[in-house]
Structures are given as C-alpha cells and as structure tokens.
Amino acid sequence: AAELEYESVLCVKPDVNVYRIPPRTSNRGYRASDWKLDHPDWTGRLRVTSKGKTAYIKLEDKVSGELFAQAPIDQYPGIAVETVADSSRYFVIRIQDGTGRSAFIGIGFTDRGDAFDFNVSLQDHFKWVKQETEISKESQEADTRPKLDLGFKEGQTIKLNIGNMTSKKGGAAKPRVSGSGGLSLLPPPPGGKIAVPPIPPPSSTAVANHVTPPPVQKSSNASSADILLDLDAPAAASKAPVSATTDLWGDFSTASSAVPNQAPQQSNWVQF
C-alpha cells in the first residue's frame, strides 16, 4: 500500500537559509539571536511534500535540484519542527539520512510571508490526516456494530390507510354535492322544506285592462237553481250596474277613459 501512494507538493519556496545551531542547554526553547544570521551555512530551495500521512521538508540546490537534506515529519507541532522564541521567520527542523542518523539545524526565510506559507502548509496537511483518521475509525466501528434487519419476515404484512377512501365506520365516502360555479354545497337537512316564492298580486293596470263580461239579466221567473247559482257568483259581479245598451265592447272604452294619463303597457290581450 505504501508503494502505491503518490507524492504531492504542498509548498515551494525558492530562498531559504540554513544555520548550524548550538545544542540546547535548557528548556526555554531555541532563540534565533544565538545564531550567526548574517552568515548562513547553506542557501538553497525548500520544498514541502507529502506521501500518505507523512510530510517531508526537502532542502534542494536552486540550479540542479540535488537533495541537500530531508526532514520527515509525523506530526505537527512536534519535535521534528519547532519554532524559535524570538522570531516568526526561523524554525528548527530535525533532518535524517538513510542510515538513521539525525541532526537539528536552523532554517530561516527572508520574507515573512514565506514563513507563513510554510507554517500553514504543514498545519493543513496534518489537519487532513486527523480527519482521515477519525473517518476510518468511525467506519471500523460501524462495521463492528450489529446491523439492523429491516426486511419483512415470513407472513408479515403491513396496512396502509389512504385518505378519503373509506369513512370512519368502514362505509364508502359520500360524494360532495357540487353547485354551479364549481363550489361545494352541503345537502339540505333532512325534513327541511323549500320555501316557494309568493306569487306577486296583479297590478292595477292589469285589473284596469281586464274585460268584465256584461251581466246577464235574470227574469222574474228564475228557478231555485238559478238563485243558488247567483250565490256562488262574486259580489262585485252581482252589484255591477245593468247597461242599457247591448254593445258588448262598451267596457273597452270605459276602461281606457278611466286611466287617461297612464302609458300603455304590453299585455297578453290583442289590441283592436
């Protein structure tokens, strides 16, 4: 698996100074002021690469790219890379060769921005390493947990209730009555009666235009049957005066003279 991992470049800085540093005699940390900052022991190019979870600080020649020294880093911050107490542009790194020998040297950047980029590249790499470790740990714990069996057992059934399909008592749902305009109307209550609108009374004009047939003169020799028929006739007809003429159309002139100022209105009678 280690052979299949590829190497990626995290940061490249063209100018870096390397210093020999005195051994640390106390726990107060390294100080760049103790070094000979004006006379660096070596000057070249710095590259920060990663392969898997390990980062590498490589010091190379500017022209040929030949490797001068290499510092593998397993964690940051840690003993492999330390900052100095009196400056943010200088660091102490632990270099190693192929035989297992190691030494501590000091490196420094002329530009403060280069030192910031170098520090951030190492922080981002080990932050990614931490996230990958947590994800792999969670996946391993998930594999060891018992898995839930959500499948149906033999003979197991489920029941689905779909709305508006059945009523609460189990009967079919009653359809809603839809009125004109697409509005839903409630059915009338049981035993209710629909009120019939009253028939408007006939207007005075219609009464005036109505033709009253002339009364029939009765003879003195009327029978008892004729007297009974006279009782069923309306009172207005019995009290109507007897016309001396036999003209049947005389009432039309009387009705028209009774309302001289009224405008003629349409009626069902044929005008002559």
Side-chain angles (χ1 to χ4, degrees):
E3 295 178 355
L4 297 177
E5 293 178 351
Y6 60 91
E7 184 178 19
S8 61
V9 179
L10 304 179
C11 179
V12 177
K13 294 302 175 183
D15 294 320
V16 63
N17 298 324
V18 177
Y19 304 93
R20 290 182 180 179
I21 60 175
R24 184 170 56 180
T25 58
S26 62
N27 294 330
R28 64 184 180 94
Y30 294 98
R31 296 179 64 88
S33 59
D34 299 336
W35 308 344
K36 298 177 182 181
L37 300 179
D38 297 336
H39 301 85
D41 297 295
W42 184 84
T43 302
R45 180 180 66 189
L46 179 141
R47 281 199 312 141
V48 179
T49 63
S50 65
K51 190 174 183 180
K53 296 182 179 180
T54 304
Y56 298 90
I57 300 175
K58 295 184 177 182
L59 303 175
E60 300 172 344
D61 187 82
K62 290 182 179 181
V63 180
S64 63
E66 183 181 358
L67 182 64
F68 172 75
Q70 176 177 277
I73 306 171
D74 296 332
Q75 60 179 1
Y76 181 77
I79 193 174
V81 180
E82 298 183 41
T83 58
V84 298
D86 56 348
S87 177
S88 61
R89 296 187 293 116
Y90 298 92
F91 302 86
V92 176
I93 63 175
R94 183 184 63 184
I95 59 175
Q96 294 180 352
D97 59 3
T99 60
R101 294 181 302 176
S102 63
F104 290 91
I105 62 174
I107 61 174
F109 299 94
T110 305
D111 189 0
R112 196 178 301 274
D114 293 342
F116 176 80
D117 295 341
F118 168 75
N119 189 19
V120 170
S121 63
L122 292 176
Q123 289 179 355
D124 291 344
H125 171 72
F126 287 99
K127 185 183 297 183
W128 171 82
V129 170
K130 183 179 179 181
Q131 293 177 353
E132 288 293 321
T133 304
E134 293 177 354
I135 292 174
S136 60
K137 184 178 179 181
E138 290 179 357
S139 61
Q140 291 176 359
E141 291 179 355
D143 293 338
T144 56
R145 294 173 185 171
K147 297 182 179 180
L148 296 177
D149 186 8
L150 301 179
F152 286 99
K153 305 299 186 296
E154 183 179 359
Q156 185 178 4
T157 59
I158 60 174
K159 182 179 180 182
L160 299 178
N161 294 326
I162 303 176
N164 297 330
M165 293 299 294
T166 57
S167 61
K168 295 182 178 179
K169 295 182 179 180
K174 296 181 180 180
R176 294 184 177 179
V177 180
S178 177
S180 61
L183 300 178
S184 298
L185 302 178
L186 296 176
K193 296 181 180 180
I194 301 176
V196 180
I199 300 175
S203 60
S204 59
T205 306
V207 174
N209 294 333
H210 182 70
V211 178
T212 305
V216 181
Q217 296 180 359
K218 299 183 187 318
S219 62
S220 59
N221 296 328
S223 63
S224 61
D226 295 335
I227 296 175
L228 294 177
L229 292 175
D230 291 340
L231 294 176
D232 296 334
S238 61
K239 294 181 181 181
V242 179
S243 176
T245 64
T246 60
D247 188 6
L248 297 177
W249 306 102
D251 291 339
F252 283 97
S253 61
T254 305
S256 61
S257 63
V259 284
N261 297 328
Q262 188 171 4
Q265 298 183 0
Q266 296 181 359
S267 62
N268 296 328
W269 293 95
V270 179
Q271 297 181 1
F272 292 92

